[in-house]
């Protein structure tokens, strides 16, 4: 198990270093789009996807999906973006691991089973921790087709100089 975790962290470190140049380019494009559209997000091209996350939203798009989430998983993006664009800001393996990306660094989160709870048949609160971060995902099932779900909800992040809540939409299943 330790070898798998170590390999996962090495892959995350490698992909995190390679993606820094691209994130700088997309943020400058996003600022241009936001000014020309007066803050409205147009989800048809990639330059507005970064504009949709706004300067006060600390989450970057996750560059690659880890193998542990390949079979079953949940994937969330900003509520102003389309899920088919696959620009995810939060993902989980539907177990006790999740991941976000802040300032170009992938943050691996561990689910707190004590604090997480199913509110009713379609709503849940999931609480995750990493060193210096607490992430609360509140999600509601909007649609189910063949054990594949679409969600709406919020992600609340508290931690190192960050305290924000972001509206999200997501999908999940096996």
């Amino acid at each position: 198990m330790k070898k798998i975790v170590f390999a996962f962290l090495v892959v995350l470190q490698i992909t995190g270093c390679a993606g820094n140049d691209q994130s700088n380019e997309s943020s400058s494009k996003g600022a241009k789009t936001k000014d020309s559209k007066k803050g409205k997000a147009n989800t048809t091209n990639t330059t507005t996807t970064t504009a949709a996350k706004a300067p006060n939203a600390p989450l970057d798009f996750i560059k690659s999906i880890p193998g542990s989430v390949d079979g079953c998983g949940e994937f969330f993006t900003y509520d102003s973006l389309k899920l088919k664009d696959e620009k995810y800001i939060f993902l989980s393996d539907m177990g006790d691991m999740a991941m976000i990306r802040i300032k170009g660094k992938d943050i691996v989160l561990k689910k707190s089973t004590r604090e997480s709870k199913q509110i009713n048949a379609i709503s849940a609160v999931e609480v995750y921790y990493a060193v210096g971060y607490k992430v609360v995902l509140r999600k509601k099932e909007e649609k189910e087709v063949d054990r594949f779900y679409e969600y709406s909800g919020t992600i609340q992040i508290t931690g190192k100089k960050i305290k924000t809540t972001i509206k999200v939409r997501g999908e999940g299943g096996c």
Side-chain angles (χ1 to χ4, degrees):
M1 181 65 181
K2 289 181 181 180
K3 290 181 181 180
I4 293 171
V5 172
F6 178 75
F8 178 72
L9 292 175
V10 168
V11 169
L12 290 177
Q13 181 65 27
I14 292 171
T15 58
C17 293
N20 287 340
D21 294 336
Q22 185 178 7
S23 66
N24 290 340
E25 288 178 8
S26 62
S27 64
S28 64
K29 290 179 186 176
K32 178 182 174 190
T33 303
K34 185 175 179 185
D35 292 340
S36 65
K37 301 282 185 183
K38 294 185 182 178
K40 284 191 173 181
N42 177 1
T43 59
T44 57
N45 64 39
T46 56
T47 58
T48 57
T49 55
T50 46
K53 71 178 191 165
N56 62 352
L59 295 182
D60 298 330
F61 296 117
I62 296 171
K63 299 292 182 188
S64 63
I65 298 172
S68 62
V69 183
D70 194 28
C72 295
E74 293 177 325
F75 309 90
F76 289 86
T77 190
Y78 294 101
D79 72 332
S80 60
L81 300 180
K82 295 179 182 177
L83 291 169
K84 69 179 183 176
D85 292 340
E86 297 183 4
K87 297 281 187 175
Y88 303 120
I89 59 169
F90 177 94
L91 56 87
S92 84
D93 65 355
M94 297 180 78
D96 59 346
M97 189 282 295
M99 188 167 74
I100 57 176
R101 186 174 176 92
I102 298 177
K103 296 181 182 176
K105 292 184 180 181
D106 291 331
I107 310 293
V108 178
L109 306 162
K110 182 166 174 55
K111 186 176 185 178
S112 169
T113 55
R114 186 172 7 142
E115 295 179 70
S116 300
K117 59 186 172 187
Q118 188 74 31
I119 296 173
N120 56 39
I122 62 170
S123 298
V125 175
E126 297 177 359
V127 181
Y128 297 88
Y129 288 96
V131 176
Y133 295 100
K134 177 181 179 181
V135 178
V136 179
L137 170 66
R138 290 177 172 80
K139 63 182 182 178
K140 178 182 175 186
E141 290 177 22
E142 297 293 333
K143 186 170 146 182
E144 176 190 359
V145 177
D146 295 331
R147 297 181 53 99
F148 186 77
Y149 302 92
E150 288 188 14
Y151 303 105
S152 65
T154 62
I155 294 176
Q156 179 183 10
I157 303 166
T158 308
K160 302 175 180 175
K161 302 178 186 176
I162 296 173
K163 185 170 183 176
T164 187
T165 301
I166 303 165
K167 289 184 181 182
V168 294
R169 71 172 66 193
E171 59 189 1
C174 293

